[in-house]
Amino acid sequence: MRTYKRELYLNKIRNFYNDTGLIKIITGVRRCGKSCIMHSIYNELKDSGVPEENLTFIDLETYGYKNITTSPELENVINHECSAPGIRYLFIDEIQNVENFEILINSYRAEGNYSIFITGSNSYLLSSEISTKLTGRYIPFEIHTLTFKEFLGMKKFYKKSDLSLTEEFEEFMRYGGFPKVCEYDDVGAKDKYIKTLVEEIFIKDIKRRVKINNIDTFNTVRDYMINNFGSPTSVANITRELNKQGVAIKQLTVARYIQILVDAKILYECKNFDLKSKRMLSGNKKYYLSDVGFYFASNSDKRMSYGQILENIVYIYANAYDYDVSVGKIGKLECDFILHGNDAQYAYVQVTYMMLDSLETENREYRPLEKIPDNYPKYVMSNDIFIQRRNGIKHVNIPEFMSDGNTFE
């Protein structure tokens, strides 16, 4: 199976291709492309000269493997299909379908001649339960839906790229980055696919994993969070608002439902960081969507809040490039995002749709960054075609910045 190669993630995983001491866990929201990443790794190993008999791919949701539900059944399949000398590369997709798989997979890891890659339900693979059972024996790689650069690359892969950069970005803002969406030309098909995906996540990643007594109430909380992404909020405020709407629900239940949505990678929690005290703040948080397509597929009102959408896109983009992201507080001012990179460096980002047609908007975006006393990079990101500079702060066009795969340096 040949797939579009997502170099952003393959570059992160390549150093571990031959590592038999760590189980490679590939996570991310359902249908973001985890299986295709594993197929790409499989193909790269094969192309590099690894014999095909040393490569085993087991997709537990496909015909031939879908009835494997116990560790002994999976063990029989692995022993039958993995018998070649040398390193055996074992790929298992949707591994949460097998009961108590952790002990079995860890036993193969302990043999020292298996390089193991697995995917599965995020609500399980990222839980404290598996962390306890596999402590120190695995390394996670989080996959996101397509970045704008990948979106352009995949459309080219499907021979569908014939729009201007601006038009492509407008489509990306509207339909998001689920890889499958790139295959459809019809807008109704795109919406229907994402709506179906929301229900698939509930059935396969949530309902099978956790007990939800009132599904209608859970769906109300889910829809509320999707509709209000990027807005400062708290569990208490959400509970009060839902109570006003006639939904009888307690704060503990709201908090539990939000955590379920976070575990399923529908939502990401973005905390507040105080730049003066250098501490995380309690209280209101922002929640962003793993893909903006969730918002439009869940709403009959298709009008676009450009600033909100762009903010979400920048948040996920920064995550995809391995930045820790928080909202910055500078006294009474707010910086949209503080990015903390692997090199222990910071960057500060303001996001707006259009800025240069309004001095008031320009001042609003630049002022928080001008109040930050250090010399780390500072960005204002917008859709403006014309770019300016002010007090050393970088103003960048979002489609151009993202289509080049730039980082915040």
Side-chain angles (χ1 to χ4, degrees):
M1 177 181 178
R2 291 290 168 178
T3 61
Y4 171 71
K5 291 181 68 172
R6 300 180 67 182
E7 286 292 333
L8 174 61
Y9 299 103
L10 294 173
N11 281 333
K12 300 175 186 180
I13 306 173
R14 283 193 182 104
N15 288 334
F16 300 91
Y17 280 9
N18 300 315
D19 193 327
T20 59
L22 290 172
I23 299 165
K24 280 69 70 176
I25 297 182
I26 299 175
T27 69
V29 67
R30 182 169 286 273
R31 304 304 174 195
C32 70
K34 301 187 293 293
S35 300
C36 289
I37 293 287
M38 289 217 300
H39 279 290
S40 291
I41 296 170
Y42 181 104
N43 290 334
E44 285 195 356
L45 289 167
K46 182 180 176 182
D47 292 343
S48 72
V50 175
E52 203 159 356
E53 57 265 28
N54 287 69
L55 298 165
T56 301
F57 200 109
I58 301 171
D59 183 348
L60 292 168
E61 288 197 339
T62 59
Y63 182 80
Y65 296 120
K66 63 183 177 60
N67 292 324
I68 297 173
T69 58
T70 67
S71 289
E73 290 171 339
L74 180 58
E75 182 177 6
N76 288 336
V77 171
I78 294 174
N79 289 342
H80 176 71
E81 300 191 11
C82 298
S83 57
I87 296 180
R88 301 161 187 174
Y89 298 88
L90 177 60
F91 301 84
I92 306 179
D93 204 3
E94 301 295 345
I95 198 167
Q96 82 284 343
N97 293 345
V98 176
E99 186 179 358
N100 296 321
F101 70 85
E102 308 91 346
I103 297 173
L104 175 65
I105 293 302
N106 190 50
S107 69
Y108 283 108
R109 179 204 63 82
E111 286 191 20
N113 61 340
Y114 283 87
S115 181
I116 302 170
F117 303 80
I118 63 174
T119 76
S121 167
N122 298 292
S123 55
Y124 185 77
L125 289 183
L126 297 178
S127 69
S128 58
E129 187 176 345
I130 193 171
S131 297
T132 300
K133 293 179 179 179
L134 294 178
T135 300
R137 299 157 186 161
Y138 74 95
I139 181 168
F141 296 95
E142 184 169 8
I143 311 301
H144 295 273
T145 58
L146 301 174
T147 65
F148 184 50
K149 180 180 180 179
E150 291 178 319
F151 173 81
L152 295 173
M154 185 160 282
K155 287 195 70 177
K156 187 176 181 180
F157 181 80
Y158 286 121
K159 297 180 172 57
K160 294 179 180 291
S161 185
D162 58 355
L163 302 175
S164 69
L165 188 68
T166 299
E167 291 171 323
E168 294 283 16
F169 194 71
E170 288 177 355
E171 182 179 330
F172 183 69
M173 285 194 293
R174 171 64 179 80
Y175 296 106
F178 281 105
K180 186 75 174 175
V181 172
C182 292
E183 296 181 29
Y184 301 116
D185 294 320
D186 181 72
V187 296
K190 294 175 188 284
D191 277 338
K192 188 171 183 62
Y193 171 76
I194 300 174
K195 285 180 181 179
T196 303
L197 179 57
V198 172
E199 297 308 316
E200 183 184 7
I201 290 171
F202 175 74
I203 293 169
K204 293 185 176 180
D205 291 346
I206 295 176
K207 189 176 180 181
R208 292 179 183 175
R209 175 67 184 157
V210 295
K211 183 178 180 181
I212 297 176
N213 293 324
N214 191 321
I215 293 175
D216 289 339
T217 301
F218 173 82
N219 288 341
T220 299
V221 173
R222 179 198 68 192
D223 293 343
Y224 180 90
M225 297 302 295
I226 288 176
N227 289 334
N228 291 277
F229 73 91
S231 300
T233 190
S234 67
V235 171
N237 290 340
I238 296 169
T239 305
R240 281 196 294 271
E241 181 60 31
L242 291 175
N243 288 163
K244 287 180 183 177
Q245 296 176 15
V247 180
I249 192 170
K250 297 179 180 179
Q251 287 191 35
L252 284 176
T253 304
V254 170
R256 177 172 174 263
Y257 287 172
I258 291 174
Q259 188 58 51
I260 289 171
L261 294 168
V262 170
D263 289 343
K265 294 295 182 183
I266 292 177
L267 297 178
Y268 281 82
E269 178 185 283
C270 188
K271 296 180 180 179
N272 293 319
F273 184 82
D274 182 70
L275 280 161
K276 290 185 177 180
S277 65
K278 301 297 183 183
R279 293 180 180 177
M280 289 294 179
L281 301 174
S282 58
N284 287 357
K285 302 173 184 176
K286 289 186 177 182
Y287 291 89
Y288 291 98
L289 302 173
S290 57
D291 192 90
V292 294
F294 282 138
Y295 173 75
F296 289 107
S298 302
N299 284 275
S300 56
D301 184 354
K302 303 301 183 184
R303 288 175 297 180
M304 186 178 294
S305 175
Y306 286 100
Q308 193 178 11
I309 294 293
L310 287 173
E311 199 173 299
N312 202 111
I313 288 172
V314 171
Y315 175 84
I316 295 300
Y317 182 87
N319 271 271
Y321 281 88
D322 292 335
Y323 290 96
D324 289 328
V325 188
S326 54
V327 176
K329 295 292 183 181
I330 316 157
K332 294 182 179 180
L333 298 176
E334 180 181 291
C335 172
D336 287 334
F337 298 124
I338 300 176
L339 312 183
H340 189 199
N342 291 329
D343 55 2
Q345 301 295 301
Y346 286 89
Y348 307 100
V349 178
Q350 288 283 84
V351 183
T352 187
Y353 175 53
M354 301 292 283
M355 179 179 65
L356 297 185
D357 59 350
S358 167
L359 181 60
E360 180 183 353
T361 302
E362 179 184 331
N363 289 333
R364 185 186 68 227
E365 300 304 327
Y366 275 100
R367 191 173 294 120
L369 299 178
E370 291 169 338
K371 293 287 185 181
I372 300 173
D374 61 46
N375 293 317
Y376 289 120
K378 302 176 179 69
Y379 291 83
V380 173
M381 306 186 73
S382 75
N383 272 19
D384 291 290
I385 298 174
F386 299 105
I387 302 302
Q388 66 156 315
R389 297 288 186 272
R390 175 168 152 176
N391 293 332
I393 298 167
K394 301 176 183 179
H395 177 206
V396 299
N397 173 269
I398 295 175
E400 291 180 358
F401 184 89
M402 291 186 174
S403 65
D404 290 335
N406 289 313
T407 54
F408 300 89
E409 299 175 348

